[in-house]
């Protein structure tokens, strides 16, 4: 049992056990729906984001009285709406906006919910109590009404304020979810061991507990992303989301409230609905694959 | 030299009840325990579940809050130290945990797991660190290229050995082993116990061995203390406790140990019956009205029994 | 006594004293005789077996060539590999092995509790003359719980946490018997007191989490014996319990067996528990039976290298602080195991290849004592010299 000096400089063995990312990738590859979704999503997003760079936003928003309700043609690929605006360009910018908004909301809620959940779960006691009571309070508030009120009150209503308002109400679910996982992780021996080894609390939270909660976070994040797109669309459809100057998928679908558009000018709202369907479904399938990757028993790979 | 001296240690957990969650009562997990550890010896803390032995061990490592009493480590009372004050002592007192499956972070590689204490207290370059860790892995009988593997690739016994390597990196003086082999199979137990003995010699360690398997404790420990409901009921060398148990609880415990000799089955069953009757009859003699054991009184230089 | 006194003029007190001393002496003699009784019986047993006669055996269950395979990534791997043994009335057969040997899989296989879509079972389980393997769920459910009972390892998870324990016992009676409500309740209380629970009426109304580990295990035992089964399978019943409670539970099982003459299959890894209660022992390694025989025989004269190594590794068997024996290597995983040849080969690498059989069979080295593979003849521990053991192998 002597010390072997030569072993110091050996390179890591070829068969390193797969890290988390590799396991996820393997699982997505094995699931055909998820793979297709990933590809489709990738294509759509890349197309939309890059095309949006070339489109002049103001030109899209400008009302052109002469081109009202034109049918699809080579000049306007999906025709125009009642303001004479190019529907196709709106679709592209709208998709980009919807996705960005949803991403923004998801990221912000993730950050806030994660921090709250980690701190409440790890420290317990009074900290936990206070945070939980705050969460309880926020949950009991009538969400829709508050959003409507806030939307009406706030003077300068932009995309950012919209994101912030939504975040205000949506972080609680995540916080609770993470807190419950942290509570169970915290009792495991490896956390005790780290404490006896002199590791400070913040290090334990970030480097020990967070990686073990990560599978939960990733899945939740992905599924939330899909959900938030729908949420934003719904609100805009009802009229409490973005104004028409900022096109989104919701605004396009909102045109369908007009029965004439609904029946005769389907090219205004139908592509938008299909786009929503594609986005949400593909994100969902990827999310399912991720969920399976996290649970070793259900893995197909 | 006395390395560790525990004086009247009490760890009480509050029970909250009522509408305002006020404290109504306490769970007296550890209720007045006193013992001493000399440098280099192995002391066994024996008891059944609920006796408070694990809580005592954890209290010494400051994983449980001490309600009252003293924990004198090399003369210093660390019972009420804050986490900042206790940090330097973490190098000297380490713990080996019971469950090999939850004591290692499943998302970390072995390298990071064992290097954690090193990174907390010392500064080493990555190459140096690797060398130190491979050295320790060698000492516990694992191959050096295990450092890039994850815990789930190892068996229970191997994981326990990784845990032992982790606790050794800071060169502690006292190691509290909380049932380190209970979750392992017999043949693997043997391996881990052998390693613990070798390491004790090489690193001049003192062990506080907490457990309920009397066979293992007898094999490993020089002296042992028997705990029941938070108090010590008997203390002595392994030989004294096994061959001459004085307290009725100790007698019952010893009588219950199954023997590997099948022909003494009948005798043992009768002996158990006798001891159990004696226990019922003499209960009030050995325990006071509240069910607590009395304080330990020495009946020889090494043997102490809880008598009224 | 009166007349005696009259005639011999002895003081009455002295008479009583002598009377009781005589009584004490005779009871002491009887006591010693009782202890020797066991040894006498054992001796007679051995003689009878040696003379070629079988002892009064009435097998309750005969497991023949049972093979249970699990599907892992589209291939079936046998966790229980061609296992055969039988259990007679009033007999405790202990199945011993460490984790990975297949004993828990065996326990669940006998009751056919594995999920059907991932398991394949072959062989025969002859329970009271009838093969259970081809039966469907409905037919099996008539046997399970009624004629065959099971005690699980972890009582907290095996009992329904949301149901009163009394009701859980009644559930078993409900399914298998046609008793009325009052009769069921009476029987339940009777069972609870039979397993040694001090206040049956109170315990009836309690929930599993309110009881201690020992009490929960007793409740499980009462569920298992509720319909007076002929066979009980106990899967590590005392592993989760303290040593004093363990002793009580084992005594309890033995006393119940005395009354009902049922057979017990005791699955455990603790050899001292086996020594305490079992009659026969079946040692398993890597899914196969490697040694089987009576407990006295195996513990006195273990032959298979695995059994020998195991006995050497137990700390209580050695009284000083010497080193424990360590078995090199690890238990093979069922997916990656080499199924040809002696499966214990790699862990005793100092024994030459030729000592092992190419496809190891079970050999009856003495009546009732079977060992797998011929390597036992040449086996010795690394630190000692071995002599070859010869037997007329059939």
């Amino acid at each position: 049992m002597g010390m072997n000096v030569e072993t110091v400089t050996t390179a890591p063995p070829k068969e390193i056990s797969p890290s988390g990312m590799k396991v996820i990738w393997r699982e997505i590859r094995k699931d055909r729906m998820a793979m297709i979704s990933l590809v489709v999503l990738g294509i759509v997003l890349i197309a939309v984001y890059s095309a949006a760079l070339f489109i002049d936003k103001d030109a899209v928003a400008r009302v052109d009285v002469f081109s009202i309700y034109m049918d699809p043609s080579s000049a306007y690929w999906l025709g125009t709406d009642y303001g004479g605006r190019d529907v196709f360009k709106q679709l592209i910018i709208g998709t980009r906006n919807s996705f960005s908004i949803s991403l923004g909301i998801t990221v912000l809620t993730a950050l806030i919910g994660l921090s709250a959940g980690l701190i409440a779960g790890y420290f317990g006691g009074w900290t936990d109590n206070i945070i939980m009571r705050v969460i309880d309070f926020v949950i009991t508030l009538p969400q829709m009404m508050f959003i409507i009120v806030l939307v009406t009150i706030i003077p300068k209503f932009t995309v950012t304020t919209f994101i912030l308002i939504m975040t205000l109400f949506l972080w609680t679910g995540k916080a609770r979810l993470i807190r419950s996982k942290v509570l169970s992780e915290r009792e495991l021996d490896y956390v005790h061991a780290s404490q006896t080894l002199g590791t400070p609390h913040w290090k334990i939270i970030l480097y020990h507990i967070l990686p073990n909660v990560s599978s939960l976070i990733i899945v939740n994040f992905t599924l939330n992303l899909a959900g938030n797109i729908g949420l934003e669309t719904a609100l805009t459809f009802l009229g409490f989301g973005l104004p028409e100057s900022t096109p989104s998928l919701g605004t396009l679908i909102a045109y369908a409230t007009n029965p004439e558009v609904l029946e005769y000018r389907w090219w205004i709202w139908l592509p938008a609905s299909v786009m929503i369907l594609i986005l949400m479904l593909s994100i969902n399938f990827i999310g399912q694959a991720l969920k399976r990757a996290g649970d070793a028993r259900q893995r197909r790979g | 030299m006395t390395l560790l001296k525990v004086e009247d240690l009490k760890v009480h957990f509050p029970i909250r009840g009522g509408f305002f969650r006020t404290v109504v009562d306490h769970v007296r997990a550890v209720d007045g325990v006193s013992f001493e550890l000399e440098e280099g010896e192995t002391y066994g803390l024996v008891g059944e579940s609920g006796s408070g032995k694990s809580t005592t061990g954890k209290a010494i490592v400051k994983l449980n809050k001490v309600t009252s009493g003293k924990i004198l480590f090399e003369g210093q009372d660390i019972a009420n130290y804050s986490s900042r004050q206790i940090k330097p002592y973490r190098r000297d007192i380490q713990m080996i945990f019971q469950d090999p499956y939850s004591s290692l972070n499943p998302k970390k590689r072995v390298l990071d797991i064992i290097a954690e204490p090193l990174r907390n207290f010392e500064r080493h370059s990555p190459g140096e660190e690797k060398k130190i860790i491979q050295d320790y892995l060698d000492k516990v009988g694992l191959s050096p290229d295990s450092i890039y593997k994850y815990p789930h690739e190892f068996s229970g016994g191997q994981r326990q050995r990784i845990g032992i390597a982790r606790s050794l990196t800071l060169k502690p003086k006292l190691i509290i082993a909380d049932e380190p082999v209970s979750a392992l199979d017999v043949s693997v137990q043997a391996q881990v116990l052998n390693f613990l003995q070798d390491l004790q010699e090489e690193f001049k360690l003192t062990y506080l061995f907490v457990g309920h398997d009397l066979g293992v404790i007898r094999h490993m420990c020089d002296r042992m203390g028997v705990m029941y409901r938070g108090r010590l009921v008997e203390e002595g060398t392994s030989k004294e406790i096994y061959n001459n148990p004085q307290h009725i609880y100790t007698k019952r415990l010893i009588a219950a140990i199954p023997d590997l000799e099948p022909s003494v089955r009948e005798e043992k069953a009768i002996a158990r019956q006798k001891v159990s009757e004696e226990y019922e009859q003499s209960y009030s003699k050995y325990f006071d009205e509240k069910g607590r054991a009395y304080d330990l009184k020495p009946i020889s230089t090494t043997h102490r029994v809880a008598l009224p | 006594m009166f007349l005696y006194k009259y005639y011999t003029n002895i003081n009455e007190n002295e008479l009583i004293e002598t009377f009781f001393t005589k009584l004490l002496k005779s009871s002491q003699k009887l006591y010693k005789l009782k202890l020797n009784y066991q040894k006498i019986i054992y001796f007679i047993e051995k003689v009878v077996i040696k003379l070629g006669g079988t002892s009064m055996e009435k097998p309750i269950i005969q497991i023949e060539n049972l093979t249970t395979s699990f599907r892992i990534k589209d291939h079936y791997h046998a966790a229980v590999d061609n296992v055969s043994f039988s259990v007679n009335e009033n007999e405790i057969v202990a199945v011993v092995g460490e984790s990975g040997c297949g004993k828990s899989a065996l326990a669940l296989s006998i009751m056919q509790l594995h999920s059907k879509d991932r398991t394949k079972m072959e062989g025969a389980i002859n329970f009271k003359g009838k093969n259970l393997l081809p039966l469907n769920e409905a037919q099996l459910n008539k046997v399970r719980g009624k004629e065959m009972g099971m005690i699980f390892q972890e009582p907290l998870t095996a009992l329904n946490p949301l149901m009163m324990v009394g009701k859980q016992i009644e559930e078993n009676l409900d399914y298998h018997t046609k008793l009325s409500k009052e009769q069921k309740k009476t029987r339940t209380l009777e069972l609870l007191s039979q397993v040694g629970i001090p206040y049956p009426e109170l315990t009836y109304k309690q929930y599993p989490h309110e009881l201690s580990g020992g009490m929960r295990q007793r409740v499980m035992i009462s569920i298992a014996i509720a319909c007076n089964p002929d066979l009980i399978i106990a899967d590590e019943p005392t592993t989760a319990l303290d040593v004093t409670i363990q002793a009580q539970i084992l005594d309890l099982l033995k006393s119940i067996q005395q009354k009902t003459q049922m057979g017990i299959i005791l699955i455990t890894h603790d050899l001292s528990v086996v020594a305490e209660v079992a009659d026969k022992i079946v040692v398993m390694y890597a899914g196969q039976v490697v040694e089987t025989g009576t407990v006295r025989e195996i513990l006195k004269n273990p032959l298979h290298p695995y059994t020998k190594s195991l006995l050497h590794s137990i700390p209580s068997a050695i009284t000083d602080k010497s080193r424990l024996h360590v078995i090199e290597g690890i238990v093979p995983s069922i997916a990656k195991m080499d199924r040809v040849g002696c499966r214990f080969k790699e862990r005793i690498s100092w024994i030459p290849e030729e000592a092992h059989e190419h496809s190891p069979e079970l050999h009856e080295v003495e009546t009732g004592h079977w060992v797998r593979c011929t390597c036992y003849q040449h086996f010795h521990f690394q630190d000692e010299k071995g002599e070859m053991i010869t037997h007329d192998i059939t």
Side-chain angles (χ1 to χ4, degrees):
Chain A
M1 287 212 301
M3 196 177 88
N4 215 344
V5 183
E6 290 88 71
T7 55
V8 170
T9 48
T10 43
K14 292 177 198 73
E15 257 283 350
I16 307 185
S17 25
S19 61
M21 287 313 293
K22 287 213 187 74
V23 171
I24 292 176
W25 179 239
R26 226 171 42 195
E27 187 60 33
I28 293 183
R29 269 212 336 249
K30 273 266 168 160
D31 183 3
R32 244 187 301 140
M33 281 314 293
M35 203 59 210
I36 297 175
S37 308
L38 193 62
V39 169
V40 165
L41 190 67
I43 293 177
V44 166
L45 287 179
I46 295 176
V48 165
Y49 271 86
S50 44
L53 291 171
F54 298 111
I55 299 180
D56 181 7
K57 273 235 306 265
D58 296 321
V60 173
R62 207 182 312 123
V63 174
D64 184 356
V65 182
F66 294 112
S67 326
I68 296 181
Y69 280 147
M70 284 176 67
D71 288 336
S73 61
S74 54
Y76 298 114
W77 291 0
L78 279 177
T80 58
D81 64 3
Y82 77 93
R85 295 170 282 209
D86 184 350
V87 171
F88 183 69
K89 292 205 179 109
Q90 277 193 37
L91 185 65
I92 293 188
I93 298 189
T95 314
R96 186 198 68 163
N97 284 346
S98 287
F99 192 79
S100 312
I101 293 172
S102 173
L103 193 66
I105 298 176
T106 318
V107 166
L108 273 183
T109 51
L111 283 176
I112 299 179
L114 192 60
S115 329
L118 279 174
I119 294 176
Y122 183 79
F123 288 107
W126 278 110
T127 333
D128 183 24
N129 251 334
I130 295 175
I131 295 183
M132 285 314 284
R133 298 294 84 81
V134 168
I135 291 180
D136 286 340
F137 177 68
V138 172
I139 288 183
T140 49
L141 294 174
Q143 213 176 338
M144 278 297 136
M145 292 195 56
F146 263 79
I147 293 179
I148 293 172
V149 166
L150 283 170
V151 163
T152 335
I153 302 181
I154 292 189
K156 254 188 1 147
F157 188 69
T158 62
V159 173
T160 340
T161 46
F162 182 67
I163 294 179
L164 286 174
I165 295 173
M166 298 301 294
T167 313
L168 209 57
F169 294 98
L170 292 177
W171 63 273
T172 51
K174 271 216 182 63
R176 266 198 179 160
L177 190 65
I178 292 180
R179 171 183 172 272
S180 66
K181 184 79 161 81
V182 171
L183 279 178
S184 66
E185 285 293 307
R186 197 207 175 298
E187 290 310 314
L188 292 180
D189 276 342
Y190 69 84
V191 173
H192 290 316
S194 295
Q195 286 172 337
T196 61
L197 294 168
T199 319
H201 290 304
W202 64 268
K203 248 194 191 169
I204 297 182
I205 295 180
L206 281 182
Y207 294 116
H208 281 280
I209 298 191
L210 187 57
N212 282 296
V213 181
S214 63
S215 59
L216 200 64
I217 299 174
I218 293 177
V219 171
N220 194 268
F221 187 93
T222 321
L223 296 175
N224 263 0
L225 197 59
N228 284 338
I229 294 180
L231 196 61
E232 180 270 319
T233 311
L235 278 174
T236 316
F237 176 76
L238 291 174
F240 297 110
L242 303 166
E244 278 179 19
S245 55
T246 326
S248 83
L249 293 169
T251 52
L252 286 174
I253 297 183
Y255 292 145
T257 45
N258 184 337
E260 201 197 319
V261 171
L262 185 63
E263 204 176 325
Y264 296 117
R265 294 177 227 280
W266 48 267
W267 59 84
I268 297 180
W269 54 269
L270 193 60
S273 321
V274 170
M275 183 59 82
I276 291 185
L277 197 66
I278 293 176
L279 281 179
M280 287 178 79
L281 271 183
S282 39
I283 298 177
N284 223 305
F285 284 132
I286 298 176
Q288 299 283 0
L290 291 179
K291 197 149 74 148
R292 268 199 308 276
D295 186 359
R297 268 172 295 173
Q298 289 178 13
R299 279 189 203 151
R300 296 188 195 170
Chain B
M1 212 247 313
T2 309
L3 188 65
L4 179 75
K5 185 165 162 164
V6 174
E7 260 178 44
D8 204 30
L9 182 67
K10 291 196 183 155
V11 180
H12 292 171
F13 296 111
I15 306 175
R16 290 185 187 278
F19 189 68
F20 290 102
R21 290 169 57 85
T22 48
V23 179
V24 285
D25 198 359
H26 291 274
V27 172
R28 294 186 169 72
V30 182
D31 203 17
V33 168
S34 312
F35 61 89
E36 278 178 44
L37 246 75
E38 300 291 320
E39 211 177 308
E41 78 166 327
T42 309
Y43 186 93
L45 207 51
V46 181
E48 301 185 312
S49 41
S51 57
K53 55 189 196 303
S54 289
T55 318
T56 311
K58 290 203 177 131
I60 299 178
V61 207
K62 308 294 283 169
L63 280 174
N64 278 330
K65 226 157 74 94
V66 170
T67 313
S68 75
K70 293 193 189 162
I71 302 176
L72 295 154
F73 182 74
E74 286 182 332
Q76 272 281 54
D77 183 9
I78 59 171
N80 294 314
Y81 273 19
S82 70
S83 40
R84 197 174 310 142
Q85 287 169 301
I86 201 77
K87 190 155 178 187
Y89 286 95
R90 295 241 180 257
R91 304 191 68 150
D92 298 325
I93 312 178
Q94 276 297 315
M95 189 157 189
I96 302 173
F97 291 85
Q98 175 179 4
D99 186 1
Y101 297 96
S102 67
S103 56
L104 304 177
N105 189 338
K107 299 262 173 184
K108 299 231 165 249
R109 297 184 195 266
V110 169
L111 176 68
D112 298 314
I113 292 175
I114 303 184
E116 187 179 346
L118 282 179
R119 291 175 191 162
N120 283 336
F121 286 99
E122 297 170 21
R123 290 224 115 71
H124 294 281
S125 70
E128 261 175 31
E129 209 177 65
K130 203 154 57 149
K131 193 160 83 158
I132 297 176
I133 291 174
Q134 283 178 327
D135 186 19
Y136 279 110
L137 279 177
D138 192 35
K139 289 223 166 17
V140 293
L142 291 166
S143 77
D145 51 69
S146 341
I147 55 175
Y148 290 110
K149 294 196 181 157
Y150 286 97
H152 62 78
E153 300 179 59
F154 294 97
S155 72
Q158 289 169 320
R159 277 190 234 207
Q160 205 61 311
R161 283 186 273 161
I162 296 175
I164 295 174
R166 175 175 61 182
S167 62
L168 288 174
T169 46
L170 291 174
K171 298 201 181 25
K173 300 192 180 120
L174 171 68
I175 290 194
I176 302 183
D178 188 5
E179 309 218 39
V181 293
S182 305
L184 305 174
D185 282 325
V186 163
S187 55
V188 183
Q189 244 183 42
Q191 204 171 32
V192 174
L193 290 176
N194 282 348
F195 272 121
L196 285 175
Q197 281 179 327
D198 293 338
L199 292 167
Q200 183 175 33
E201 266 180 49
E202 189 177 336
F203 288 91
K204 309 269 183 301
L205 298 166
T206 310
Y207 284 137
L208 177 64
F209 212 92
V210 177
H212 68 271
D213 187 339
L214 289 150
V216 168
I217 302 267
R218 183 185 191 174
H219 177 78
M220 291 292 294
C221 304
D222 311 306
R223 286 197 307 142
M224 30 189 285
V226 180
M227 280 187 74
Y228 178 65
R229 288 216 197 131
R231 288 180 65 78
L232 275 174
V233 297
E234 194 159 350
E235 188 197 64
T237 63
S238 301
K239 243 196 229 143
E240 280 167 356
I241 302 271
Y242 270 81
N243 299 331
N244 188 20
Q246 291 294 314
H247 198 273
I248 44 168
Y249 177 71
T250 322
K251 285 190 197 167
R252 196 171 81 161
L253 207 59
I254 304 280
I257 308 173
D259 204 311
L260 262 184
E261 183 52 62
S263 53
V264 302
R265 264 189 223 176
E266 283 286 319
E267 280 174 44
K268 288 218 67 174
I270 297 170
R272 269 203 296 273
Q273 190 60 20
K274 256 193 12 204
V275 165
S276 159
E277 278 163 16
E278 194 188 329
Y279 189 88
E280 303 285 322
Q281 284 164 354
S282 325
Y283 187 80
S284 47
K285 239 194 340 167
Y286 287 90
F287 295 97
D288 66 12
E289 329 78 51
K290 280 186 274 173
R292 288 176 87 224
Y294 291 103
D295 287 330
L296 290 174
K297 310 237 176 3
I299 63 172
S300 81
T301 42
T302 44
H303 199 163
R304 294 198 289 163
V305 185
L307 292 167
Chain C
M1 222 161 94
F2 243 89
L3 296 168
Y4 192 53
K5 166 193 168 193
Y6 225 88
Y7 286 126
T8 52
N9 246 330
I10 307 175
N11 190 352
E12 194 169 282
N13 285 338
E14 270 179 40
L15 193 65
I16 296 175
E17 210 184 304
T18 38
F19 177 72
F20 278 106
T21 338
K22 282 216 175 98
L23 200 65
L24 187 68
K25 281 219 181 89
S26 52
S27 61
Q28 276 178 342
K29 276 208 197 112
L30 275 169
Y31 180 74
K32 278 217 187 85
L33 198 65
K34 185 175 186 218
L35 293 176
N36 288 323
Y37 169 74
Q38 284 296 323
K39 297 203 177 105
I40 295 172
I41 291 289
Y42 172 51
F43 182 67
I44 294 177
E45 241 177 46
K46 255 199 134 168
V47 167
V48 167
I49 291 174
K50 270 246 160 64
L51 291 176
T54 49
S55 36
M56 289 76 62
E57 286 176 11
K58 267 209 320 225
I60 296 181
I61 187 169
Q62 275 170 311
I63 297 173
E64 280 169 25
N65 305 105
L66 181 66
T67 304
T68 307
S69 314
F70 296 121
R71 178 164 56 92
I72 302 175
K73 284 198 193 157
D74 310 324
H75 288 286
Y76 279 92
H77 300 278
V80 178
D81 206 339
N82 206 359
V83 167
S84 311
F85 66 91
S86 63
V87 183
N88 300 326
E89 264 182 22
N90 201 14
E91 192 180 54
I92 301 186
V93 173
V95 178
V96 180
E98 300 184 303
S99 24
C101 70
K103 59 190 197 299
S104 300
L106 176 65
L108 293 175
S109 303
I110 300 175
M111 279 272 206
Q112 296 190 55
L113 290 172
H114 293 295
S115 62
K116 295 269 186 288
D117 58 339
R118 268 180 287 175
T119 327
K120 202 166 61 167
M121 299 209 319
E122 291 154 349
I125 302 176
N126 288 321
F127 184 62
K128 295 204 287 203
K130 201 164 72 161
N131 188 0
L132 295 180
L133 224 38
L135 296 181
N136 62 23
E137 277 297 303
Q139 291 164 316
L140 272 174
N141 279 334
K142 291 213 189 76
V143 176
R144 288 197 281 230
K146 182 151 184 249
E147 297 168 51
M148 236 203 285
M150 187 147 178
I151 304 170
F152 294 90
Q153 176 175 355
E154 182 47 71
L156 189 55
T157 50
L159 292 172
N160 187 341
L162 297 176
M163 232 196 228
M164 282 192 255
V165 299
K167 291 264 180 298
Q168 295 193 42
I169 303 174
E170 273 183 10
E171 192 183 26
N172 189 359
L173 292 169
D174 208 18
Y175 191 74
H176 290 291
T177 62
K178 288 188 169 44
L179 299 173
S180 72
K181 221 166 147 203
E182 298 82 48
Q183 285 173 319
K184 274 192 278 205
K185 179 131 191 216
T186 335
R187 174 87 179 123
T188 309
L189 293 174
E190 190 187 312
L191 281 167
L192 283 173
S193 58
Q194 199 180 0
V195 293
I197 287 181
Y199 300 105
E201 301 83 18
L202 283 175
T203 315
Y204 182 98
K205 296 203 190 82
Q206 285 184 304
Y207 289 89
H209 65 267
E210 293 177 319
L211 303 172
S212 71
M215 299 270 274
R216 282 181 226 137
Q217 199 61 296
R218 286 174 207 263
V219 168
M220 258 231 287
I221 293 176
S222 60
I223 297 179
I225 63 170
C227 301
N228 285 322
D230 299 298
L231 177 73
I232 288 217
I233 304 173
D235 188 1
E236 308 234 28
T238 54
T239 307
L241 304 173
D242 287 325
V243 88
T244 42
I245 312 289
Q246 175 176 284
Q248 287 170 3
I249 298 283
L250 291 175
D251 287 335
L252 175 65
L253 280 175
K254 274 227 104 143
S255 73
I256 295 178
Q257 190 186 43
Q258 295 285 5
K259 287 198 204 108
T260 58
Q261 302 285 304
M262 64 185 177
I264 300 182
I265 299 181
L266 180 67
I267 309 228
T268 180
H269 65 270
D270 190 346
L271 280 166
S272 39
V273 164
V274 172
E276 258 314 289
V277 291
D279 303 304
K280 259 183 15 201
I281 188 174
V282 174
V283 182
M284 282 186 71
Y285 181 77
Q288 289 176 319
V289 175
V290 295
E291 191 161 3
T292 175
T294 61
V295 163
R296 288 191 176 90
E297 176 67 29
I298 302 276
L299 291 177
K300 205 176 59 168
N301 187 23
L303 288 175
H304 195 274
Y306 179 59
T307 323
K308 275 181 140 160
S309 313
L310 213 53
L311 285 167
H312 250 71
S313 317
I314 301 176
S316 56
I318 303 175
T319 47
D320 62 350
K321 262 177 99 167
S322 59
R323 292 173 69 72
L324 298 168
H325 174 73
V326 170
I327 312 181
E328 268 182 25
I330 54 171
V331 177
S333 82
I334 64 170
K336 302 194 195 127
M337 185 159 49
D338 182 14
R339 288 178 189 266
V340 175
C342 182
R343 293 184 191 176
F344 199 58
K345 203 165 46 177
E346 286 128 26
R347 305 189 73 183
I348 40 171
S349 46
W350 61 94
I351 303 291
E353 188 76 30
E354 306 79 55
H356 298 283
E357 266 181 278
H358 192 64
S359 52
E361 297 278 311
L362 275 172
H363 305 288
E364 189 167 14
V365 294
E366 283 190 321
T367 322
H369 188 167
W370 297 71
V371 185
R372 188 178 290 270
C373 189
T374 46
C375 52
Y376 77 91
Q377 294 176 324
H378 308 271
F379 177 71
H380 57 91
F381 289 109
Q382 255 181 319
D383 48 358
E384 52 177 68
K385 276 275 146 71
E387 300 127 21
M388 203 168 124
I389 312 172
T390 43
H391 285 105
D392 287 325
I393 303 178
T394 44

